[in-house]
PDB file of all heavy atoms in Angstrom:
ATOM      1  N   GLY A 329      -4.934 -11.869   5.553  1.00  0.00           N
ATOM      2  CA  GLY A 329      -6.257 -12.342   5.735  1.00  0.00           C
ATOM      3  C   GLY A 329      -6.730 -13.469   4.693  1.00  0.00           C
ATOM      4  O   GLY A 329      -7.443 -14.539   5.044  1.00  0.00           O
ATOM      5  N   GLU A 330      -6.231 -13.442   3.577  1.00  0.00           N
ATOM      6  CA  GLU A 330      -6.485 -14.514   2.639  1.00  0.00           C
ATOM      7  C   GLU A 330      -5.835 -15.788   2.943  1.00  0.00           C
ATOM      8  O   GLU A 330      -6.528 -16.895   2.608  1.00  0.00           O
ATOM      9  CB  GLU A 330      -5.921 -13.949   1.181  1.00  0.00           C
ATOM     10  CG  GLU A 330      -6.074 -15.019   0.055  1.00  0.00           C
ATOM     11  CD  GLU A 330      -7.491 -15.477  -0.214  1.00  0.00           C
ATOM     12  OE1 GLU A 330      -8.394 -14.710   0.284  1.00  0.00           O
ATOM     13  OE2 GLU A 330      -7.701 -16.345  -1.079  1.00  0.00           O
ATOM     14  N   ILE A 331      -4.646 -15.659   3.525  1.00  0.00           N
ATOM     15  CA  ILE A 331      -4.114 -17.062   3.946  1.00  0.00           C
ATOM     16  C   ILE A 331      -4.985 -17.624   5.024  1.00  0.00           C
ATOM     17  O   ILE A 331      -5.235 -18.929   5.121  1.00  0.00           O
ATOM     18  CB  ILE A 331      -2.574 -16.856   4.643  1.00  0.00           C
ATOM     19  CG1 ILE A 331      -1.698 -16.267   3.369  1.00  0.00           C
ATOM     20  CG2 ILE A 331      -1.973 -18.129   5.166  1.00  0.00           C
ATOM     21  CD1 ILE A 331      -1.627 -17.318   2.222  1.00  0.00           C
ATOM     22  N   VAL A 332      -5.301 -16.882   6.068  1.00  0.00           N
ATOM     23  CA  VAL A 332      -6.284 -17.325   7.166  1.00  0.00           C
ATOM     24  C   VAL A 332      -7.533 -17.932   6.346  1.00  0.00           C
ATOM     25  O   VAL A 332      -8.041 -19.038   6.852  1.00  0.00           O
ATOM     26  CB  VAL A 332      -6.578 -16.204   8.056  1.00  0.00           C
ATOM     27  CG1 VAL A 332      -7.667 -16.587   9.086  1.00  0.00           C
ATOM     28  CG2 VAL A 332      -5.316 -15.757   8.802  1.00  0.00           C
ATOM     29  N   ARG A 333      -8.056 -17.212   5.514  1.00  0.00           N
ATOM     30  CA  ARG A 333      -9.312 -17.701   4.843  1.00  0.00           C
ATOM     31  C   ARG A 333      -9.118 -19.103   4.122  1.00  0.00           C
ATOM     32  O   ARG A 333      -9.989 -19.984   4.406  1.00  0.00           O
ATOM     33  CB  ARG A 333      -9.781 -16.745   3.874  1.00  0.00           C
ATOM     34  CG  ARG A 333     -11.171 -17.057   3.162  1.00  0.00           C
ATOM     35  CD  ARG A 333     -11.323 -16.310   1.943  1.00  0.00           C
ATOM     36  NE  ARG A 333     -10.473 -16.741   0.821  1.00  0.00           N
ATOM     37  CZ  ARG A 333     -10.734 -17.778   0.141  1.00  0.00           C
ATOM     38  NH1 ARG A 333     -11.716 -18.609   0.239  1.00  0.00           N
ATOM     39  NH2 ARG A 333      -9.968 -18.080  -0.910  1.00  0.00           N
ATOM     40  N   ARG A 334      -8.094 -19.248   3.588  1.00  0.00           N
ATOM     41  CA  ARG A 334      -7.717 -20.545   2.837  1.00  0.00           C
ATOM     42  C   ARG A 334      -7.565 -21.733   3.841  1.00  0.00           C
ATOM     43  O   ARG A 334      -8.054 -22.801   3.468  1.00  0.00           O
ATOM     44  CB  ARG A 334      -6.430 -20.341   1.954  1.00  0.00           C
ATOM     45  CG  ARG A 334      -6.756 -19.555   0.666  1.00  0.00           C
ATOM     46  CD  ARG A 334      -5.466 -19.326  -0.059  1.00  0.00           C
ATOM     47  NE  ARG A 334      -5.882 -18.492  -1.300  1.00  0.00           N
ATOM     48  CZ  ARG A 334      -6.164 -19.087  -2.427  1.00  0.00           C
ATOM     49  NH1 ARG A 334      -6.042 -20.382  -2.623  1.00  0.00           N
ATOM     50  NH2 ARG A 334      -6.376 -18.210  -3.475  1.00  0.00           N
ATOM     51  N   VAL A 335      -7.010 -21.447   4.963  1.00  0.00           N
ATOM     52  CA  VAL A 335      -6.930 -22.593   5.990  1.00  0.00           C
ATOM     53  C   VAL A 335      -8.319 -22.813   6.465  1.00  0.00           C
ATOM     54  O   VAL A 335      -8.805 -23.941   6.758  1.00  0.00           O
ATOM     55  CB  VAL A 335      -5.984 -22.160   7.053  1.00  0.00           C
ATOM     56  CG1 VAL A 335      -5.885 -23.290   8.047  1.00  0.00           C
ATOM     57  CG2 VAL A 335      -4.571 -21.773   6.537  1.00  0.00           C
ATOM     58  N   LEU A 336      -9.129 -21.830   6.751  1.00  0.00           N
ATOM     59  CA  LEU A 336     -10.386 -21.994   7.391  1.00  0.00           C
ATOM     60  C   LEU A 336     -11.362 -22.718   6.239  1.00  0.00           C
ATOM     61  O   LEU A 336     -12.119 -23.582   6.715  1.00  0.00           O
ATOM     62  CB  LEU A 336     -11.248 -20.716   7.588  1.00  0.00           C
ATOM     63  CG  LEU A 336     -10.663 -19.940   8.807  1.00  0.00           C
ATOM     64  CD1 LEU A 336     -11.302 -18.497   8.951  1.00  0.00           C
ATOM     65  CD2 LEU A 336     -10.853 -20.588  10.141  1.00  0.00           C
ATOM     66  N   VAL A 337     -11.110 -22.468   5.002  1.00  0.00           N
ATOM     67  CA  VAL A 337     -11.879 -23.245   3.921  1.00  0.00           C
ATOM     68  C   VAL A 337     -11.557 -24.791   4.103  1.00  0.00           C
ATOM     69  O   VAL A 337     -12.547 -25.505   4.067  1.00  0.00           O
ATOM     70  CB  VAL A 337     -11.623 -22.733   2.629  1.00  0.00           C
ATOM     71  CG1 VAL A 337     -12.008 -23.676   1.548  1.00  0.00           C
ATOM     72  CG2 VAL A 337     -12.198 -21.316   2.382  1.00  0.00           C
ATOM     73  N   ARG A 338     -10.376 -25.134   4.256  1.00  0.00           N
ATOM     74  CA  ARG A 338      -9.972 -26.494   4.327  1.00  0.00           C
ATOM     75  C   ARG A 338     -10.623 -27.077   5.588  1.00  0.00           C
ATOM     76  O   ARG A 338     -11.155 -28.237   5.549  1.00  0.00           O
ATOM     77  CB  ARG A 338      -8.520 -26.739   4.500  1.00  0.00           C
ATOM     78  CG  ARG A 338      -8.124 -28.189   4.395  1.00  0.00           C
ATOM     79  CD  ARG A 338      -6.520 -28.404   4.387  1.00  0.00           C
ATOM     80  NE  ARG A 338      -6.423 -29.829   4.503  1.00  0.00           N
ATOM     81  CZ  ARG A 338      -5.260 -30.228   4.921  1.00  0.00           C
ATOM     82  NH1 ARG A 338      -4.193 -29.472   5.054  1.00  0.00           N
ATOM     83  NH2 ARG A 338      -5.126 -31.555   4.872  1.00  0.00           N
ATOM     84  N   MET A 339     -10.570 -26.398   6.677  1.00  0.00           N
ATOM     85  CA  MET A 339     -11.154 -26.923   7.990  1.00  0.00           C
ATOM     86  C   MET A 339     -12.721 -27.010   7.717  1.00  0.00           C
ATOM     87  O   MET A 339     -13.278 -28.037   8.390  1.00  0.00           O
ATOM     88  CB  MET A 339     -10.868 -25.953   9.078  1.00  0.00           C
ATOM     89  CG  MET A 339      -9.442 -26.010   9.468  1.00  0.00           C
ATOM     90  SD  MET A 339      -9.087 -24.882  10.972  1.00  0.00           S
ATOM     91  CE  MET A 339      -7.442 -25.300  11.446  1.00  0.00           C
ATOM     92  N   ALA A 340     -13.360 -26.156   7.179  1.00  0.00           N
ATOM     93  CA  ALA A 340     -14.818 -26.156   6.906  1.00  0.00           C
ATOM     94  C   ALA A 340     -15.180 -27.398   6.000  1.00  0.00           C
ATOM     95  O   ALA A 340     -16.184 -27.995   6.276  1.00  0.00           O
ATOM     96  CB  ALA A 340     -15.288 -24.915   6.185  1.00  0.00           C
ATOM     97  N   GLN A 341     -14.377 -27.648   5.007  1.00  0.00           N
ATOM     98  CA  GLN A 341     -14.616 -28.776   4.042  1.00  0.00           C
ATOM     99  C   GLN A 341     -14.409 -30.121   4.652  1.00  0.00           C
ATOM    100  O   GLN A 341     -15.129 -31.011   4.482  1.00  0.00           O
ATOM    101  CB  GLN A 341     -13.818 -28.564   2.768  1.00  0.00           C
ATOM    102  CG  GLN A 341     -14.267 -27.338   2.041  1.00  0.00           C
ATOM    103  CD  GLN A 341     -13.306 -27.038   0.786  1.00  0.00           C
ATOM    104  OE1 GLN A 341     -12.036 -27.501   0.814  1.00  0.00           O
ATOM    105  NE2 GLN A 341     -13.842 -26.410  -0.203  1.00  0.00           N
ATOM    106  N   GLU A 342     -13.211 -30.231   5.388  1.00  0.00           N
ATOM    107  CA  GLU A 342     -12.750 -31.557   5.757  1.00  0.00           C
ATOM    108  C   GLU A 342     -13.171 -31.801   7.243  1.00  0.00           C
ATOM    109  O   GLU A 342     -13.201 -32.920   7.699  1.00  0.00           O
ATOM    110  CB  GLU A 342     -11.318 -31.571   5.715  1.00  0.00           C
ATOM    111  CG  GLU A 342     -10.758 -31.434   4.343  1.00  0.00           C
ATOM    112  CD  GLU A 342      -9.331 -31.757   4.139  1.00  0.00           C
ATOM    113  OE1 GLU A 342      -8.638 -32.219   5.193  1.00  0.00           O
ATOM    114  OE2 GLU A 342      -8.699 -31.485   2.985  1.00  0.00           O
ATOM    115  N   ALA A 343     -13.516 -30.869   8.048  1.00  0.00           N
ATOM    116  CA  ALA A 343     -13.783 -30.992   9.375  1.00  0.00           C
ATOM    117  C   ALA A 343     -15.073 -30.349   9.995  1.00  0.00           C
ATOM    118  O   ALA A 343     -15.276 -30.236  11.132  1.00  0.00           O
ATOM    119  CB  ALA A 343     -12.596 -30.657  10.310  1.00  0.00           C
ATOM    120  N   ALA A 344     -15.788 -29.852   8.962  1.00  0.00           N
ATOM    121  CA  ALA A 344     -17.149 -29.189   9.381  1.00  0.00           C
ATOM    122  C   ALA A 344     -16.954 -28.199  10.506  1.00  0.00           C
ATOM    123  O   ALA A 344     -17.777 -28.069  11.381  1.00  0.00           O
ATOM    124  CB  ALA A 344     -18.225 -30.246   9.601  1.00  0.00           C
ATOM    125  N   LEU A 345     -15.928 -27.359  10.304  1.00  0.00           N
ATOM    126  CA  LEU A 345     -15.800 -26.271  11.362  1.00  0.00           C
ATOM    127  C   LEU A 345     -16.902 -25.395  11.676  1.00  0.00           C
ATOM    128  O   LEU A 345     -17.169 -24.994  12.774  1.00  0.00           O
ATOM    129  CB  LEU A 345     -14.500 -25.435  11.017  1.00  0.00           C
ATOM    130  CG  LEU A 345     -14.072 -24.365  12.066  1.00  0.00           C
ATOM    131  CD1 LEU A 345     -13.741 -25.035  13.306  1.00  0.00           C
ATOM    132  CD2 LEU A 345     -12.904 -23.579  11.431  1.00  0.00           C
ATOM    133  N   PHE A 346     -17.639 -24.975  10.628  1.00  0.00           N
ATOM    134  CA  PHE A 346     -18.788 -24.231  10.810  1.00  0.00           C
ATOM    135  C   PHE A 346     -20.135 -24.878  10.385  1.00  0.00           C
ATOM    136  O   PHE A 346     -21.105 -24.190   9.968  1.00  0.00           O
ATOM    137  CB  PHE A 346     -18.617 -22.911   9.831  1.00  0.00           C
ATOM    138  CG  PHE A 346     -17.394 -22.175  10.118  1.00  0.00           C
ATOM    139  CD1 PHE A 346     -16.381 -22.115   9.176  1.00  0.00           C
ATOM    140  CD2 PHE A 346     -17.217 -21.462  11.428  1.00  0.00           C
ATOM    141  CE1 PHE A 346     -15.250 -21.304   9.521  1.00  0.00           C
ATOM    142  CE2 PHE A 346     -16.142 -20.732  11.737  1.00  0.00           C
ATOM    143  CZ  PHE A 346     -15.129 -20.735  10.796  1.00  0.00           C
ATOM    144  N   GLY A 347     -20.202 -26.077  10.573  1.00  0.00           N
ATOM    145  CA  GLY A 347     -21.474 -26.917  10.300  1.00  0.00           C
ATOM    146  C   GLY A 347     -21.343 -27.879   9.171  1.00  0.00           C
ATOM    147  O   GLY A 347     -20.188 -28.020   8.542  1.00  0.00           O
ATOM    148  N   LYS A 348     -22.446 -28.379   8.748  1.00  0.00           N
ATOM    149  CA  LYS A 348     -22.493 -29.505   7.831  1.00  0.00           C
ATOM    150  C   LYS A 348     -22.048 -29.006   6.377  1.00  0.00           C
ATOM    151  O   LYS A 348     -21.540 -29.663   5.580  1.00  0.00           O
ATOM    152  CB  LYS A 348     -23.883 -30.140   7.700  1.00  0.00           C
ATOM    153  CG  LYS A 348     -24.214 -30.991   8.889  1.00  0.00           C
ATOM    154  CD  LYS A 348     -25.567 -31.651   8.775  1.00  0.00           C
ATOM    155  CE  LYS A 348     -25.930 -32.422  10.086  1.00  0.00           C
ATOM    156  NZ  LYS A 348     -27.244 -32.956   9.966  1.00  0.00           N
ATOM    157  N   THR A 349     -22.418 -27.612   6.086  1.00  0.00           N
ATOM    158  CA  THR A 349     -22.202 -27.164   4.891  1.00  0.00           C
ATOM    159  C   THR A 349     -21.187 -25.947   4.909  1.00  0.00           C
ATOM    160  O   THR A 349     -20.987 -25.314   6.038  1.00  0.00           O
ATOM    161  CB  THR A 349     -23.451 -26.498   4.225  1.00  0.00           C
ATOM    162  OG1 THR A 349     -24.012 -25.480   5.100  1.00  0.00           O
ATOM    163  CG2 THR A 349     -24.477 -27.665   4.022  1.00  0.00           C
ATOM    164  N   VAL A 350     -20.406 -25.809   3.944  1.00  0.00           N
ATOM    165  CA  VAL A 350     -19.345 -24.671   3.930  1.00  0.00           C
ATOM    166  C   VAL A 350     -20.109 -23.459   3.594  1.00  0.00           C
ATOM    167  O   VAL A 350     -20.751 -23.205   2.703  1.00  0.00           O
ATOM    168  CB  VAL A 350     -18.301 -24.877   2.933  1.00  0.00           C
ATOM    169  CG1 VAL A 350     -17.255 -23.773   2.847  1.00  0.00           C
ATOM    170  CG2 VAL A 350     -17.606 -26.290   3.039  1.00  0.00           C
ATOM    171  N   PRO A 351     -19.889 -22.450   4.450  1.00  0.00           N
ATOM    172  CA  PRO A 351     -20.529 -21.103   4.225  1.00  0.00           C
ATOM    173  C   PRO A 351     -20.180 -20.505   2.836  1.00  0.00           C
ATOM    174  O   PRO A 351     -18.966 -20.460   2.669  1.00  0.00           O
ATOM    175  CB  PRO A 351     -20.013 -20.126   5.426  1.00  0.00           C
ATOM    176  CG  PRO A 351     -19.633 -21.160   6.398  1.00  0.00           C
ATOM    177  CD  PRO A 351     -19.089 -22.507   5.821  1.00  0.00           C
ATOM    178  N   PRO A 352     -21.137 -20.137   1.940  1.00  0.00           N
ATOM    179  CA  PRO A 352     -20.772 -19.724   0.702  1.00  0.00           C
ATOM    180  C   PRO A 352     -19.789 -18.567   0.592  1.00  0.00           C
ATOM    181  O   PRO A 352     -18.898 -18.455  -0.150  1.00  0.00           O
ATOM    182  CB  PRO A 352     -22.144 -19.344   0.121  1.00  0.00           C
ATOM    183  CG  PRO A 352     -23.097 -20.164   0.894  1.00  0.00           C
ATOM    184  CD  PRO A 352     -22.608 -20.262   2.271  1.00  0.00           C
ATOM    185  N   LYS A 353     -20.016 -17.631   1.545  1.00  0.00           N
ATOM    186  CA  LYS A 353     -19.101 -16.403   1.390  1.00  0.00           C
ATOM    187  C   LYS A 353     -17.682 -16.782   1.875  1.00  0.00           C
ATOM    188  O   LYS A 353     -16.727 -15.933   1.621  1.00  0.00           O
ATOM    189  CB  LYS A 353     -19.680 -15.279   2.353  1.00  0.00           C
ATOM    190  CG  LYS A 353     -20.831 -14.835   1.876  1.00  0.00           C
ATOM    191  CD  LYS A 353     -21.510 -13.663   2.687  1.00  0.00           C
ATOM    192  CE  LYS A 353     -20.634 -12.351   2.553  1.00  0.00           C
ATOM    193  NZ  LYS A 353     -21.281 -11.214   3.366  1.00  0.00           N
ATOM    194  N   LEU A 354     -17.485 -17.834   2.642  1.00  0.00           N
ATOM    195  CA  LEU A 354     -16.060 -18.266   3.037  1.00  0.00           C
ATOM    196  C   LEU A 354     -15.244 -18.699   1.827  1.00  0.00           C
ATOM    197  O   LEU A 354     -14.110 -18.597   1.800  1.00  0.00           O
ATOM    198  CB  LEU A 354     -16.180 -19.482   3.968  1.00  0.00           C
ATOM    199  CG  LEU A 354     -14.873 -19.845   4.627  1.00  0.00           C
ATOM    200  CD1 LEU A 354     -14.279 -18.757   5.452  1.00  0.00           C
ATOM    201  CD2 LEU A 354     -15.083 -21.177   5.411  1.00  0.00           C
ATOM    202  N   LEU A 355     -15.855 -19.015   0.704  1.00  0.00           N
ATOM    203  CA  LEU A 355     -15.261 -19.434  -0.478  1.00  0.00           C
ATOM    204  C   LEU A 355     -14.774 -18.151  -1.466  1.00  0.00           C
ATOM    205  O   LEU A 355     -14.204 -18.397  -2.512  1.00  0.00           O
ATOM    206  CB  LEU A 355     -16.103 -20.293  -1.431  1.00  0.00           C
ATOM    207  CG  LEU A 355     -16.527 -21.630  -0.578  1.00  0.00           C
ATOM    208  CD1 LEU A 355     -17.557 -22.368  -1.514  1.00  0.00           C
ATOM    209  CD2 LEU A 355     -15.298 -22.489  -0.232  1.00  0.00           C
ATOM    210  N   ILE A 356     -15.193 -16.913  -0.976  1.00  0.00           N
ATOM    211  CA  ILE A 356     -14.769 -15.796  -1.858  1.00  0.00           C
ATOM    212  C   ILE A 356     -13.432 -15.314  -1.458  1.00  0.00           C
ATOM    213  O   ILE A 356     -13.118 -14.978  -0.275  1.00  0.00           O
ATOM    214  CB  ILE A 356     -15.797 -14.703  -1.573  1.00  0.00           C
ATOM    215  CG1 ILE A 356     -17.330 -15.146  -1.843  1.00  0.00           C
ATOM    216  CG2 ILE A 356     -15.498 -13.413  -2.402  1.00  0.00           C
ATOM    217  CD1 ILE A 356     -18.212 -14.120  -1.527  1.00  0.00           C
ATOM    218  N   PRO A 357     -12.472 -15.317  -2.398  1.00  0.00           N
ATOM    219  CA  PRO A 357     -11.148 -14.813  -2.209  1.00  0.00           C
ATOM    220  C   PRO A 357     -11.058 -13.444  -1.728  1.00  0.00           C
ATOM    221  O   PRO A 357     -11.900 -12.591  -2.166  1.00  0.00           O
ATOM    222  CB  PRO A 357     -10.474 -15.033  -3.587  1.00  0.00           C
ATOM    223  CG  PRO A 357     -11.280 -16.032  -4.276  1.00  0.00           C
ATOM    224  CD  PRO A 357     -12.689 -15.751  -3.858  1.00  0.00           C
ATOM    225  N   PHE A 358     -10.082 -13.151  -0.839  1.00  0.00           N
ATOM    226  CA  PHE A 358      -9.744 -11.887  -0.336  1.00  0.00           C
ATOM    227  C   PHE A 358     -10.942 -11.117   0.295  1.00  0.00           C
ATOM    228  O   PHE A 358     -10.826  -9.909   0.527  1.00  0.00           O
ATOM    229  CB  PHE A 358      -9.165 -11.032  -1.416  1.00  0.00           C
ATOM    230  CG  PHE A 358      -7.792 -11.496  -2.021  1.00  0.00           C
ATOM    231  CD1 PHE A 358      -7.702 -12.344  -3.115  1.00  0.00           C
ATOM    232  CD2 PHE A 358      -6.707 -11.235  -1.282  1.00  0.00           C
ATOM    233  CE1 PHE A 358      -6.643 -12.790  -3.559  1.00  0.00           C
ATOM    234  CE2 PHE A 358      -5.502 -11.529  -1.697  1.00  0.00           C
ATOM    235  CZ  PHE A 358      -5.409 -12.408  -2.926  1.00  0.00           C
ATOM    236  N   LEU A 359     -11.880 -11.893   0.827  1.00  0.00           N
ATOM    237  CA  LEU A 359     -12.987 -11.277   1.616  1.00  0.00           C
ATOM    238  C   LEU A 359     -12.599 -10.850   2.977  1.00  0.00           C
ATOM    239  O   LEU A 359     -13.065  -9.903   3.680  1.00  0.00           O
ATOM    240  CB  LEU A 359     -14.129 -12.247   1.619  1.00  0.00           C
ATOM    241  CG  LEU A 359     -15.502 -11.582   1.860  1.00  0.00           C
ATOM    242  CD1 LEU A 359     -15.898 -10.492   0.807  1.00  0.00           C
ATOM    243  CD2 LEU A 359     -16.597 -12.639   2.029  1.00  0.00           C
ATOM    244  N   LEU A 360     -11.652 -11.613   3.648  1.00  0.00           N
ATOM    245  CA  LEU A 360     -11.272 -11.285   4.967  1.00  0.00           C
ATOM    246  C   LEU A 360     -10.039 -10.247   4.879  1.00  0.00           C
ATOM    247  O   LEU A 360      -8.906 -10.568   4.328  1.00  0.00           O
ATOM    248  CB  LEU A 360     -10.736 -12.498   5.606  1.00  0.00           C
ATOM    249  CG  LEU A 360     -10.226 -12.314   7.072  1.00  0.00           C
ATOM    250  CD1 LEU A 360     -11.241 -11.686   7.925  1.00  0.00           C
ATOM    251  CD2 LEU A 360      -9.694 -13.746   7.606  1.00  0.00           C
TER     252      LEU A 360
END
Side-chain angles (χ1 to χ4, degrees):
E330 175 62 7
I331 295 299
V332 172
R333 187 198 67 83
R334 286 174 177 266
V335 183
L336 289 176
V337 167
R338 184 181 176 191
M339 289 181 172
Q341 291 173 335
E342 299 184 12
L345 179 64
F346 300 115
K348 294 180 180 179
T349 59
V350 178
K353 292 180 71 175
L354 187 62
L355 300 174
I356 301 176
F358 292 97
L359 199 59
L360 180 59

